[in-house]
Amino acid sequence: MTMRRSGRKRENPATCWNPVRNSMLRTNSRRFASFTRVWAGRFGPHTALLVPPSPQRNMSQRPDTKVDRDIGPLRETVLRMARLSEAILDKSLQAIWERDPALSLEVKADDIAIDRLDVEIDHTVLRILALDAPVASDLRLVVAVKSIATDLERVGDIARNIAGCARRLSEVPEIGLPPELHSLADDSRAALRNAVQSFADLDPDAARNVLEADDKIDEKEDELIRSSINRLEDEPDETRQQIDLIFVAQHLERIGDHATNIAEEVVLAAEATNLKHSGKLGTQ
């Protein structure tokens, strides 16, 4: 009787899948890798070539994302707006010191450029929120940028108001400006400059220094207003000038308030800590 051979090929046991054998191979492979690492540590660096080192990921550097690429230009736009706001404030104060009505007119034109950037930032923020859906620190930064842009736009408006005071002062007899006015102007400008720099560096410690300096600005404003009121009683002919000086003092104090707002947004963006109304609410 002849036996019929099956047409099915015999499987090679070396290549067919065997769960027991494959498990043993994986176990032996891990043991070999561990052994060679120990061997390399004991007997010199050359044996380390047997096992390539495992790649280590730097978790501090996250991959570049679309929201990163959009936030970068947005920050640059805000910083450009901040430089314009600082420049327009300096020009309005220069119009006060020099009694120059021409500078007052330039301030009005410069404020339009700040308004345009404010509108541009609004559109960019809405686009990022709608299309990129930022979260966590990215979301806080985008929201902070919108608030900071609003404060910078208000700085431009205040500078225009100061320029209006300068124009009116140039139309009346000149009086000596009190030294407190120069000191108040220097402190307000420094607060704005430091607040903007803290945003550029995203430095919450520098931002807190701005918050601490605000009380000094308030005290100098009160001192200047009291001085102008006393001057009104002694020199009634200087009523128009003293009233405008009081307005300037109030405007400079508002500059300090907007610098404080910017600093609070920096702390919120960097640390997720909300310092708004912290003195009243006791949430420092």
Side-chain angles (χ1 to χ4, degrees):
M1 180 177 178
T2 60
M3 296 182 63
R4 181 179 298 178
R5 291 186 177 182
S6 173
R8 181 180 178 184
K9 294 183 179 180
R10 297 180 61 185
E11 295 179 345
N12 186 353
T15 59
C16 66
W17 183 80
N18 187 319
V20 176
R21 186 180 69 252
N22 288 354
S23 177
M24 294 176 61
L25 288 175
R26 286 194 298 269
T27 302
N28 292 335
S29 177
R30 286 195 295 267
R31 288 176 178 174
F32 176 76
S34 176
F35 171 78
T36 51
R37 289 192 181 93
V38 174
W39 183 275
R42 290 183 177 180
F43 298 99
H46 300 291
T47 53
L49 297 175
L50 294 173
V51 181
S54 302
Q56 295 182 356
R57 297 179 59 187
N58 187 358
M59 300 305 294
S60 63
Q61 296 179 353
R62 69 177 189 182
D64 188 25
T65 61
K66 185 176 184 302
V67 67
D68 293 325
R69 294 191 295 270
D70 288 341
I71 288 179
L74 177 63
R75 291 182 72 253
E76 292 300 323
T77 303
V78 174
L79 291 175
R80 187 166 75 251
M81 184 179 182
R83 289 191 291 269
L84 290 178
S85 298
E86 293 182 57
I88 194 176
L89 177 61
D90 292 343
K91 186 177 291 187
S92 65
L93 290 172
Q94 185 180 358
I96 293 283
W97 313 143
E98 299 179 2
R99 295 171 53 86
D100 190 343
L103 285 177
S104 302
L105 296 177
E106 292 181 12
V107 168
K108 184 177 180 180
D110 294 342
D111 184 48
I112 297 177
I114 296 177
D115 293 340
R116 289 197 181 99
L117 287 177
D118 186 37
V119 173
E120 178 183 343
I121 290 171
D122 280 348
H123 292 165
T124 304
V125 166
L126 290 176
R127 179 174 55 81
I128 291 176
L129 292 176
L131 300 181
D132 297 345
V135 296
S137 60
D138 291 333
L139 178 59
R140 295 197 307 270
L141 181 58
V142 172
V143 173
V145 162
K146 177 64 188 77
S147 298
I148 290 172
T150 299
D151 284 300
L152 292 174
E153 190 273 335
R154 288 297 300 141
V155 169
D157 292 343
I158 292 173
R160 189 174 59 183
N161 294 338
I162 294 175
C165 295
R167 178 181 53 79
R168 291 191 298 270
L169 287 172
S170 67
E171 297 171 352
V172 295
E174 182 178 2
I175 63 172
L177 298 178
E180 298 88 353
L181 182 62
H182 289 274
S183 179
L184 177 59
D186 291 341
D187 289 350
S188 298
R189 292 164 59 193
L192 178 61
R193 180 174 61 252
N194 294 336
V196 170
Q197 188 61 45
S198 71
F199 169 71
D201 300 333
L202 208 60
D203 185 349
D205 294 331
R208 284 187 168 87
N209 292 335
V210 175
L211 301 179
E212 295 175 358
D214 186 58
D215 291 339
K216 183 180 178 182
I217 294 176
D218 294 341
E219 293 173 359
K220 290 188 176 182
E221 180 214 10
D222 293 339
E223 181 181 354
L224 181 57
I225 291 177
R226 286 195 300 268
S227 174
S228 294
I229 292 175
N230 293 333
R231 187 73 177 178
L232 282 172
E233 297 175 354
D234 299 335
E235 300 291 341
D237 294 339
E238 298 179 359
T239 299
R240 293 180 59 186
Q241 295 93 321
Q242 295 299 332
I243 289 177
D244 274 320
L245 291 181
I246 290 175
F247 286 156
V248 172
Q250 292 175 336
H251 293 324
L252 290 173
E253 189 273 336
R254 288 298 298 153
I255 294 291
D257 289 343
H258 288 294
T260 297
N261 293 342
I262 293 173
E264 289 174 346
E265 293 297 335
V266 171
V267 175
L268 178 61
E271 297 182 348
T273 302
N274 193 345
L275 297 180
K276 290 183 178 180
H277 314 298
S278 57
K280 298 178 182 178
L281 302 177
T283 56
Q284 294 189 20

